[in-house]
Amino acid sequence: MTDRYQEAYAKSLADPDGFWGEAAQDIHWFKTWDTVLDKSNPPFYRWFRGAETNTCYNALDRHVEAGRADQAALIYDSPVTGGTVRTFTYRELRDAVAKFAGGLASLGVAKGDRVIVYMPMVPEALIAVLACARLGAVHSVVFGGFAANELAVRIDDAKPKVIVSASCGIEAGRVIEYCPLLDQACHLARHNVEKCVILNRPEAPSTLRTGRDIYWQDLVAGAQPHDCVPVAATDPLYILYTSGTTGEPKGVIRDNGGHLVALKWSMKNIYDVDPGDVYWAASDVGWVVGHSYIIYAPLFHGCTTILYEGKPVGTPDAGAFWRVISQHKVKTLFTAPTAFRAIKREDPEGRLLKDYDLSRFKALFLAGERTDPDTLDWAQRHLKVPVIDHWWQTETGWPIAANCMGLHAYPVKPGSPTKAVPGWDVRILDDANNPVKAGDIGAICCKLPLPPGSLPTLWNADDRYRDSYLVDYPGYYKTADAGYVDEDGYLYIMSRTDDIINVAGHRLSTGGMEEVLADHPDVAECAVVGVADDLKGQLPVGFMVINAGVERPEADIVSEAVQMVRDRIGPVAAFKQAVVVPRLPKTRSGKILRGTMQKIADNEEYKLPATIDDPAVLSEIKAALETLGYAGSRRQGS
Ligand code: COA
Ligand code: AMP
């Protein structure tokens, strides 16, 4: 017997035009499309060619006009600023966004111009993003935990007319001044940024750079509200940079039309939420989860979204999530498993839950990394609601695999994000591009064309888009995850096939870290691998071979290397461990055996690679790892 999920899935693949054309009826268009899916220029597929819309109109104005003006659109909850809570109704948020859009326009920002948003988790970050969408300008949010150098790389690639920032961000226990980072980034970048808008926060007010900077508050005071500018459905809405296999990040593009349709559809069909419900994605606006499920999807759907400036633990305790859920009547929470591991570690018995009323809470969704069975079990036992692992990527913008709670709730199988979501033709392929049989591990690929909402290409890098994703498995998008499908059609995501690691749900490139270590004057060669960590999932560990003749203490070189990664990539890299080794394990052709090193660290079985140059080197790696507490006895905690 077919269920609603099966029907939807089959239709989405058999008749994508019909399926997504119908879903698109839920969106406001200034002009409808000529073609639902334009396949005229493969592999560059475009959704809703010919249509005109405005993403901000669909997020805000539309709801104000349709009777939700006085409903809360946004609740800002900030334990790190002493418990600030601020609510914006849809009308208030629309007005604030229209004003800031007017301010940006007065600085010369117009349709197609890029604006970088480098901000902490404050309402103004959402306002800035939505104001760009209102003008048809292309926003690019840069996560606050990145260093100036990473910001500079993004400035040079996106070439923004304006950067919107704040005087500071607040991490538990420390205030991070943004302006010095911004100044350094502007200094490092070749592209000249004309204007920076600075939100002055009382926790660390800043002074301005004459000629370049203007305070947010002053810009808005003199601004006229700006209307929504119609844009083509195929115009870019944003660029979001994500780690590639080198230090140069990839600029994932999201369009306006396909993104609107897919995200709006996902809210009912995947998350089973309705307009008016309170939806909370505990992530950061700098990540794709923040873009899609803090800002856009909940607003497209007329929900109340929560913006939480705090951590799962320590702000003030491991009951913080339960406090937010009960205080703001959250129906659905979306976060990364690492947040739950942090809570579980501090409050293993879930004692703090008893202090809060979670009667309105209906489901927990987890993504960013695999939900390990222990965390799943703990969350199910204590929360007594469905706990849904779902799988997606910055590139896809919304889930590829999930238990679609609004269509048909399947039994949860621990370790699996359930099944492919409608629109995603997921296949497990071998190296010859052939499907493998159920239960066999292969490369997880998605048959082209991809559904709406997924990346149409990379910013100014069509060739890189093709080379990174489309060349290895002709006719498919390569997710760079490996896994399998079981006999019931459940998907299992096992590992990355490239050198990306996942640290506390954050995607990081070990190649990027190696580039930094290699720049240390005493380092001859190096390797970085991700090793298992009980809290963050993985942590990077660096191995460095020192130049002959260097006589400085190894500990000094290690601490300089650690500081270099922090300074160049940022604290988010969580790079705190490195060791000096006499040499690196390599194949006879010179390829570094990172996979084998990682297995040694994780105390997993490994086959001695037939092509290894000198097997004795593996004992040296093991000995070095033992000095860090790895290998032979898996490290506990971090
Ligand atoms: N600005 C500046 N620094 C930041 C930052 C930001 N926006 N976000 C994180 N950092 C810093 C942290 O303070 C930390 O610095 P430290 O080395 O001085 O301690 C470092 O970057 C690493 O951060 P993180 O890996 O997040 O570790 P943490 O110890 O601060 O917190 C968790 C651990 C598990 C509590 C936290 O990662 C978390 O809540 N994660 C789940 C939610 C999430 O963000 N998921 C992402 C995608 S859904
Ligand atoms: P990002 O682009 O930062 O969202 O990271 C995407 C990567 O995170 C994926 O390619 C996976 O490797 C991993 N990932 C995300 N969600 C899951 C999940 N539910 N299960 C397993 N891995 C996941």
Side-chain angles (χ1 to χ4, degrees):
M1 212 177 71
T2 57
D3 57 44
R4 285 182 54 232
Y5 160 79
Q6 286 174 338
E7 271 171 36
Y9 190 69
K11 178 162 185 197
S12 73
L13 299 195
D15 176 19
D17 284 36
F19 186 85
W20 292 112
E22 197 179 306
Q25 305 298 331
D26 241 8
I27 299 302
H28 173 275
W29 305 93
F30 294 116
K31 176 176 172 293
T32 52
W33 48 91
D34 304 325
T35 345
V36 176
L37 173 59
D38 175 4
K39 301 189 209 165
S40 61
N41 182 30
F44 300 97
Y45 300 97
R46 303 312 308 259
W47 287 93
F48 305 105
R49 170 85 70 196
E52 285 183 10
T53 186
N54 182 280
T55 291
C56 181
Y57 185 84
N58 276 282
L60 298 176
D61 304 57
R62 176 183 188 193
H63 301 304
V64 173
E65 289 159 20
R68 291 192 185 279
D70 298 320
Q71 181 199 305
L74 166 67
I75 300 173
Y76 165 59
D77 184 302
S78 171
V80 295
T81 53
T84 314
V85 175
R86 261 170 85 192
T87 301
F88 294 73
T89 64
Y90 268 95
R91 189 199 325 269
E92 286 164 347
L93 192 57
R94 192 251 344 241
D95 291 348
V97 168
K99 267 260 176 143
F100 191 66
L104 285 177
S106 73
L107 300 179
V109 174
K111 184 166 152 178
D113 288 336
R114 273 81 57 214
V115 173
I116 281 186
V117 177
Y118 183 59
M119 293 189 97
M121 289 283 285
V122 290
E124 288 79 3
L126 267 80
I127 292 170
V129 159
L130 289 162
C132 291
R134 196 171 187 87
L135 295 173
V138 181
H139 60 78
S140 187
V141 182
V142 179
F143 177 61
F146 282 124
N149 181 59
E150 292 287 322
L151 178 57
V153 169
R154 287 154 175 78
I155 292 173
D156 278 336
D157 198 65
K159 300 192 172 40
K161 194 165 239 177
V162 169
I163 298 184
V164 184
S165 191
S167 58
C168 69
I170 303 160
E171 279 293 285
R174 85 195 144 103
V175 172
I176 296 146
E177 293 195 28
Y178 276 35
C179 289
L181 296 167
L182 183 62
D183 289 348
Q184 200 190 339
C186 289
H187 175 71
L188 289 170
R190 290 181 304 278
H191 172 75
N192 179 38
V193 181
E194 291 168 28
K195 285 279 171 205
C196 295
V197 181
I198 310 291
L199 176 77
N200 221 9
R201 299 188 80 188
E203 292 77 12
S206 70
T207 49
L208 300 184
R209 290 254 157 175
T210 323
R212 188 195 70 185
D213 295 352
I214 176 167
Y215 284 126
W216 172 292
Q217 290 83 343
D218 293 341
L219 182 69
V220 166
Q224 292 301 314
H226 203 294
D227 252 347
C228 294
V229 175
V231 296
T234 51
D235 280 341
L237 168 69
Y238 70 75
I239 308 166
L240 179 57
Y241 289 90
T242 189
S243 299
T245 49
T246 65
E248 203 179 316
K250 296 170 174 166
V252 168
I253 297 183
R254 200 78 60 209
D255 66 10
N256 278 275
H259 175 249
L260 265 166
V261 172
L263 262 61
K264 173 83 171 79
W265 183 90
S266 74
M267 287 300 280
K268 181 64 196 168
N269 293 288
I270 298 180
Y271 298 99
D272 196 22
V273 292
D274 293 307
D277 286 341
V278 182
Y279 185 96
W280 178 24
S283 176
D284 189 286
V285 289
W287 306 117
V288 67
V289 174
H291 282 62
S292 295
Y293 292 104
I294 296 176
I295 307 178
Y296 284 119
L299 296 178
F300 294 161
H301 204 49
C303 294
T304 301
T305 188
I306 308 273
L307 181 75
Y308 175 69
E309 192 181 26
K311 299 266 174 181
V313 293
T315 57
D317 58 26
F321 274 23
W322 325 139
R323 195 266 304 156
V324 173
I325 291 173
S326 87
Q327 186 171 339
H328 304 305
K329 304 183 175 53
V330 171
K331 179 177 179 185
T332 304
L333 168 64
F334 176 170
T335 190
T338 187
F340 267 72
R341 288 197 296 270
I343 295 169
K344 184 172 100 173
R345 195 161 80 163
E346 301 243 321
D347 182 19
E349 307 302 325
R351 292 212 167 87
L352 294 167
L353 270 159
K354 295 184 188 64
D355 299 341
Y356 300 99
D357 170 14
L358 301 196
S359 55
R360 304 247 190 156
F361 183 48
K362 296 292 176 238
L364 168 66
F365 284 81
L366 298 171
E369 52 171 325
R370 173 175 173 268
T371 300
D372 53 283
D374 278 357
T375 303
L376 176 75
D377 174 65
W378 189 90
Q380 284 172 330
R381 266 190 299 119
H382 290 287
L383 295 174
K384 301 182 177 57
V385 297
V387 179
I388 310 298
D389 181 8
H390 61 329
W391 169 60
W392 50 304
Q393 309 183 307
T394 304
E395 289 85 346
T396 68
W398 62 293
I400 315 169
N403 203 343
C404 291
M405 299 302 280
L407 287 170
H408 182 93
Y410 282 93
V412 166
K413 291 199 193 186
S416 168
T418 316
K419 301 190 180 212
V421 166
W424 295 98
D425 190 351
V426 176
R427 310 279 178 99
I428 313 294
L429 301 178
D430 65 18
D431 289 346
N433 217 29
N434 297 313
V436 301
K437 62 178 193 316
D440 284 359
I441 293 189
I444 313 181
C445 296
C446 303
K447 195 155 190 298
L448 297 173
L450 299 182
S454 50
L455 81 170
T457 185
L458 295 174
W459 181 251
N460 283 338
D462 284 348
D463 287 346
R464 191 174 183 200
Y465 168 66
R466 226 188 306 237
D467 293 347
S468 305
Y469 303 109
L470 309 181
V471 167
D472 290 352
Y473 299 90
Y476 297 89
Y477 163 82
K478 177 182 77 172
T479 64
D481 281 318
Y484 65 95
V485 173
D486 74 7
E487 259 134 30
D488 300 323
Y490 281 59
L491 188 62
Y492 292 78
I493 317 298
M494 305 305 288
S495 60
R496 288 286 297 194
T497 57
D498 54 15
D499 69 356
I500 299 290
I501 58 170
N502 201 312
V503 179
H506 307 139
R507 171 171 161 179
L508 298 166
S509 160
T510 53
M513 295 184 215
E514 288 176 5
E515 284 173 25
V516 176
L517 297 186
D519 262 0
H520 189 291
D522 296 337
V523 171
E525 57 177 348
C526 62
V528 174
V529 299
V531 303
D533 179 78
D534 290 338
L535 175 65
K536 295 194 180 183
Q538 284 185 299
L539 277 178
V541 174
F543 298 83
M544 301 180 294
V545 179
I546 301 305
N547 286 319
V550 172
E551 306 228 322
R552 304 176 54 221
E554 286 179 4
D556 289 359
I557 299 174
V558 165
S559 63
E560 286 159 13
V562 166
Q563 192 59 42
M564 278 172 75
V565 175
R566 195 173 171 95
D567 290 346
R568 291 228 212 138
I569 296 178
V572 68
F575 183 85
K576 296 191 174 167
Q577 305 173 92
V579 277
V580 171
V581 289
R583 56 199 169 143
L584 295 172
K586 289 186 188 166
T587 62
R588 279 189 283 277
S589 60
K591 197 167 167 291
I592 298 172
L593 292 162
R594 294 180 181 78
T596 311
M597 294 162 79
Q598 179 247 308
K599 286 198 167 69
I600 294 174
D602 292 347
N603 200 21
E604 284 176 19
E605 280 184 25
Y606 60 91
K607 284 200 200 107
L608 193 65
T611 54
I612 190 164
D613 191 29
D614 177 5
V617 68
L618 296 180
S619 320
E620 295 162 14
I621 294 296
K622 190 157 184 264
L625 279 161
E626 273 164 4
T627 65
L628 294 175
Y630 290 103
S633 58
R634 186 166 153 202
R635 272 193 93 208
Q636 296 294 307
S638 56

